[in-house]
Amino acid sequence: MHSILAVDDSASMRQMVSFTLKNAGFNVVEAVDGQDAWEKSSQRDFDLVLTDQNMPRMDGISLTKKLRDNPKFKTTPILILTTESSDQMKQAGRAAGATGWLVKPFDPAKLIEVIGKVIR
């Protein structure tokens, strides 16, 4: 079973993402912001990281950069799921090493489809 680190400062968004992923057969670990995700990523391996962009303590792009600097996460898919949809933000995400960019509100079927394409 693939494990996914789901990062979002909104409890309701974490619940929706978690529910969607668990129903699709994934093991989900939740993190409340980038800093929490960074700490959890040092304790175990994940097959995919799904992160919000705008969060306190550490945003999604900063988290993506930190994870990419860690050899353990060099090739791990990182998807940014956010309300941000500007080309500038998407470019910053790509430059940081994000695998993909999804805009909220998300379609559960589409989320699972995208994860299925990028997860190993």
Side-chain angles (χ1 to χ4, degrees):
M1 182 187 297
H2 290 293
S3 69
I4 295 177
L5 178 58
V7 192
D8 202 304
D9 57 322
S10 160
S12 58
M13 185 52 71
R14 275 196 318 275
Q15 282 177 326
M16 281 193 312
V17 166
S18 220
F19 178 79
T20 300
L21 297 175
K22 285 176 180 171
N23 278 351
F26 295 104
N27 177 27
V28 181
V29 173
E30 296 179 21
V32 298
D33 61 27
Q35 187 61 43
D36 186 33
W38 175 246
E39 289 160 12
K40 288 178 173 158
S41 75
S42 68
Q43 296 160 6
R44 58 176 293 181
D45 291 341
F46 293 99
D47 299 299
L48 182 133
V49 177
L50 181 66
T51 182
D52 185 21
Q53 164 51 21
N54 299 316
M55 300 178 289
R57 298 201 307 157
M58 188 190 305
D59 66 24
I61 288 175
S62 299
L63 172 63
T64 300
K65 285 179 185 165
K66 279 190 88 151
L67 289 172
R68 287 293 184 231
D69 285 343
N70 180 339
K72 189 167 89 166
F73 286 96
K74 272 278 183 253
T75 60
T76 303
I78 300 173
L79 297 175
I80 297 179
L81 176 65
T82 180
T83 55
E84 296 279 352
S85 61
S86 75
D87 288 340
Q88 211 172 1
M89 284 301 277
K90 290 177 185 173
Q91 188 54 48
R94 273 194 294 276
T99 310
W101 193 277
L102 301 160
V103 179
K104 294 176 189 172
F106 70 95
D107 170 357
K110 179 119 175 86
L111 178 64
I112 297 305
E113 181 189 326
V114 170
I115 288 172
K117 286 179 181 169
V118 298
I119 207 163
R120 294 175 217 345

